[in-house]
Amino acid sequence: MSLLNRFLLLLLCLTLPLAGWAKIEAQVVSSFTIPNEWVGLVIKHKIAHSALIPSGGELHGYSLNATDSRSLARAKLIIGINPELEPWLADWAQANRREKDLLWLYPDPLPSGSHLWTVPAEVKRMISRLKKGLDAAGVETSEDAVVQILKDVDAVEKDIRDIFAPLLPHERQFVTQHPGLESFAEAFGLKVTGSILQCSSAESADPSARHYANLLKSIRAEKVRVILSDAGQNPAAAQQLAKDAGLKAPTAVSFEYLQKPGTPGDTWVSMMRLNARKLADALQQP
Ligand SMILES: [Zn+2]
């Protein structure tokens, strides 16, 4: 091989990975799978977009790794739900002076029952905010796509209302593993009696003895029959509570993220229907 050829080969070897890297670099980076799906649905032309936390990972207590920081540094626009839910994203943007490129889909103080992506009316507001933010950042969006998403959200809301419609008033309450579903419950005429963990950021922490005793008291006083556990998280505390309260085993749900592509719950629409159905089945069982 001539020297020139060797040089050209070396050049090729050096530039190919760079070209590949540039191609997959995400222009829009979201905190987790749900806003990332919305980005993909709203944009007019295909662009690279990604989620920092992959399917199966939770927002609570997340910390950014080196790859995340690199993706964020290269992103044109960064999407999060709310600074209280994703404080690690707010901190990164502040430290790197990128606050102007960070779009919060729900920028206001967080109400209790913070998982607002489970509330159809809030989802519609977040989609509209996302569209405006993408347009402002020069990422073209599709009006037709937005209309379709809003229709889909309405359809999901109606389906979930129908799913819960047969429940009698005393069948509408449950205990969750961590706080967050209160606003979902409120939107659908249900009630979260309490949560095993007092704070969402301590996924695996055990509840205090006092909190546990109070929760057990509420379950008995209000005749709660269903305890939810977080799919993918350690269900030991939920199992113990169910045993101590004399209830059936906990029902695992996941309103936290989208499942891996090709599996049930891999879209917001199917995630909502699937978990609402699981919850309704658990509430209805004698
Ligand atoms: Zn959560």
Side-chain angles (χ1 to χ4, degrees), residues 38 116-128 149-150 153 268:
W38 294 340
L116 297 171
W117 60 86
T118 61
V119 181
E122 296 296 351
V123 170
K124 292 207 281 185
R125 275 192 276 275
M126 288 196 269
I127 295 289
S128 303
I149 298 166
L150 299 181
V153 175
W268 179 84

Side-chain angles (χ1 to χ4, degrees), residues 229-241:
S229 64
D230 293 327
Q233 301 288 334
N234 185 350
Q239 283 166 347
Q240 187 60 48
L241 182 65

Side-chain angles (χ1 to χ4, degrees), residues 19-40:
W21 182 252
K23 224 195 290 175
I24 55 160
E25 223 170 78
Q27 292 184 46
V28 181
V29 172
S30 300
S31 54
F32 70 116
T33 47
I34 294 174
N36 182 49
E37 186 205 16
W38 294 340
V39 170

Side-chain angles (χ1 to χ4, degrees), residues 58 60 115 178 256:
E58 295 198 358
H60 316 301
H115 293 13
H178 75 277
E256 304 291 314

Side-chain angles (χ1 to χ4, degrees), residues 29-32 50-54 62 64 68-69 71-72 88-89:
V29 172
S30 300
S31 54
F32 70 116
S50 66
L52 295 173
I53 309 174
Y62 187 72
L64 294 169
D68 293 337
S69 304
S71 306
L72 286 169
W88 38 271
L89 195 55

